Amino acid sequence: MRAHITSVFLVDDDLSVRNAMVSLLQAHGLRVESYASAQEYIHSYDPDAAGCLLLDLMMPDRSGLALQKILAHHDQAPPILFLTGHAYVSDAVQALKGGAIEFLTKPVDETVLMLAIRKALILDAVNRGKFKELANIRKRLATLTPRERQVLGYVVAGKLNKQTASELGTVEKTIKVHRAHVMEKLEVRSLARLIQISAIAGISFTA
C-alpha cells in the first residue's frame, strides 16, 4: 500500500521544528512521515515508497549530507530538499552536487518551501515512471535466447539480415525468424523503438 501513497519524509532532530513542519505540510494536504534522526529514517527506508525527503543538515547521529551519500547508492531514492538553520556555502555546494533539489535555510518562506516540495514530488513521479519502464524492458530482454540476444546486437548495430547471417554462419531466413522473435518478445513494432529501448536499458552493441 505504501508504494501507492506519496509522502514528504521529514528528518530533523528538533522536535519543535518537526511538529511545526508536520502541521504546515498537512495543512497543505500533504502526507508527512517524520523522523528524529537519519538512523531512524534509514531503519524504516522503503525504496518503493513514493515522495521526497525534507532533510536537516546538522544532526547528532549522522548528518544530512551523510544520509544523502547513503541514499545515492539506491536506484529509487527520493529527491532531497535540505532545510537547515546552519547555512554554509561549502555544505550547500556539496548538497547540490550530490543531487539535492534545493538547499533552503530556516526560517523558510512558506511559498518557496511548497514550490520546492511540489517540484520534488513531480520529479519523484517522473523518476519512478522511468524506473518502472526500465524494469519492464529488462524483464523482456531476459526472455531472449542467447542467439536472439546476439541477433539483436547485429540489428541495433545496423546490420542487414544478409550481413548478420553471413557473420553468424547461417542463412538469411533463420535470421529473419530470430529477428521476428526478438521484436515479439520485446513488444516492439519498429527498429526505431528497438533502438530506443536498448538505449533506455543502457545496452550498447558492437557487431
Side-chain angles (χ1 to χ4, degrees), residues 188-200:
V188 298
R189 296 182 179 181
S190 68
L191 176 59
R193 178 56 180 165
L194 191 65
I195 294 173
Q196 182 184 38
I197 67 171
S198 297
I200 291 173

Side-chain angles (χ1 to χ4, degrees), residues 29-101:
L30 295 170
R31 184 178 185 277
V32 187
E33 292 185 22
S34 65
Y35 304 89
S37 68
Q39 191 59 40
E40 186 179 331
Y41 173 76
I42 292 171
H43 182 71
S44 66
Y45 174 68
D46 178 1
D48 292 326
C52 69
L53 180 58
L54 188 57
L55 182 59
D56 189 20
L57 182 66
M58 304 298 293
M59 293 180 286
D61 69 324
R62 183 178 275 121
S63 72
L65 290 174
L67 177 56
Q68 182 185 35
K69 288 181 180 179
I70 293 172
L71 294 175
H73 298 289
H74 294 270
D75 290 333
Q76 294 192 85
I80 295 175
L81 305 168
F82 278 94
L83 178 60
T84 178
H86 307 276
Y88 299 101
V89 174
S90 59
D91 291 330
V93 170
Q94 186 177 343
L96 295 172
K97 281 187 175 180
I101 304 304

